[in-house]
Amino acid sequence: MNENTGKENRGKENRADTSSKIIRLQNITRKYLLGSTTVNALRGVNLEIERGEFSVILGPSGSGKSTLLNIIGCLDEATSGEYILDGIRINGRPVSSLAATRNQKIGFIFQSFNLIPVLNVEENIELPCLLGTGRKEDPKALRQRVRALCEEVGLTNHLKHKPDELSGGQRQRVAIARALVTNPLMIMADEPTANLDSKTSETILDLMQALNKRDGVTFVFATHDPRVVERTHRTYHIADGIVAS
């Protein structure tokens, strides 16, 4: 049995017909307890995202934007409602299964980069493959693939540099390569331009848009940045925990 067949069999019992939709959220709620107070972060979100979309979730601070992104990225679980990702029902899956889903299907790009300080560029990028369950890639083949990604994002001259030896734009390029190294179906980008100057932001957006057009990877952004919004296929506005397309 090859790796892809194994993945299909593991999720077979939870499969649902979603046609061209990679994400389908139905009546998603998320509640938090703060002391004796219940906070309704999401209030019945309904959302569908097509495969290959370059889309953005837009909303002010406190609108539920980050909570929604965390649920889509399987970093958090909804209180109620149904979430289907790539034809698989996410609701109620064990923590280990959610971790495997994140590793196999989702890449993450964070505002603060979240690179490992003691690892160099190559090591940071290959880390998700070393942590992944069920991955048995030859180390030499993995290193070749990592170097090809580094060339693609313009990091060939920085392979052995640690994060504190890189500029903000270079760190974000490392984060993009790390997000891509597992060949994910979808990339979640939380304020990916927030810590970058205008010129670097445009360069990073050019790179992500090119990857979306060439490889068909679905990008979902959460941002306040109008430069991101201008480039996306679709904007999902969120306010008070409710989404309107």
Side-chain angles (χ1 to χ4, degrees):
M1 180 185 298
N2 63 35
E3 183 179 349
N4 290 335
T5 302
K7 291 177 187 176
E8 290 171 0
N9 290 342
R10 287 195 295 273
K12 187 175 181 181
E13 69 279 7
N14 292 317
R15 285 243 163 227
D17 181 13
T18 56
S19 62
S20 63
K21 315 295 183 185
I22 192 170
I23 294 169
R24 177 176 288 171
L25 304 177
Q26 296 179 330
N27 200 30
I28 292 290
T29 69
R30 184 64 171 100
K31 299 179 181 181
Y32 298 98
L33 279 177
L34 289 178
S36 59
T37 302
T38 299
V39 177
N40 294 293
L42 298 177
R43 305 167 182 263
V45 169
N46 294 291
L47 177 66
E48 293 183 343
I49 295 178
E50 301 278 349
R51 296 178 189 276
E53 266 194 29
F54 201 69
S55 57
V56 61
I57 299 170
L58 184 66
S61 297
S63 63
K65 181 171 74 268
S66 293
T67 299
L68 179 57
L69 202 72
N70 286 340
I71 288 174
I72 293 174
C74 298
L75 293 168
D76 193 8
E77 294 186 72
T79 303
S80 64
E82 183 176 59
Y83 175 24
I84 297 173
L85 169 63
D86 189 33
I88 297 175
R89 290 183 176 89
I90 298 300
N91 313 69
R93 296 173 72 86
V95 172
S96 59
S97 177
L98 291 176
T101 297
R102 288 194 302 270
N103 184 265
Q104 294 165 4
K105 295 182 180 291
I106 306 171
F108 295 91
I109 301 172
F110 300 97
Q111 175 180 349
S112 56
F113 316 128
N114 287 0
L115 303 180
I116 308 299
V118 297
L119 301 182
N120 64 32
V121 166
E122 284 183 313
E123 292 165 340
N124 265 286
I125 294 171
E126 69 185 10
L127 185 61
C129 292
L130 300 178
L131 297 176
T133 57
R135 297 183 184 277
K136 295 183 179 180
E137 188 170 2
D138 176 76
K140 290 183 178 179
L142 174 59
R143 184 56 59 92
Q144 287 177 349
R145 200 156 57 79
V146 167
R147 291 187 175 183
L149 273 173
C150 286
E151 182 177 1
E152 188 170 9
V153 301
L155 289 170
T156 302
N157 295 327
H158 305 281
L159 299 179
K160 301 303 179 182
H161 290 192
K162 301 288 180 61
D164 63 0
E165 299 173 309
L166 303 173
S167 68
Q170 289 166 342
R171 293 183 195 185
Q172 198 60 295
R173 289 170 185 268
V174 178
I176 292 170
R178 181 183 58 188
L180 289 167
V181 73
T182 59
N183 296 313
L185 294 174
M186 175 174 66
I187 289 181
M188 314 297 297
D190 191 3
E191 298 286 3
T193 59
N195 292 327
L196 306 176
D197 60 71
S198 297
K199 183 178 180 180
T200 303
S201 294
E202 294 292 348
T203 301
I204 292 298
L205 288 171
D206 286 342
L207 175 59
M208 290 191 283
Q209 196 165 30
L211 292 168
N212 167 258
K213 290 179 177 178
R214 189 195 69 193
D215 299 335
V217 178
T218 304
F219 277 78
V220 181
F221 296 87
T223 188
H224 299 93
D225 191 341
R227 293 167 299 189
V228 177
V229 178
E230 289 173 1
R231 292 171 179 254
T232 52
H233 300 156
R234 188 172 298 171
T235 301
Y236 301 95
H237 296 272
I238 185 168
D240 300 321
I242 298 173
V243 170
S245 177

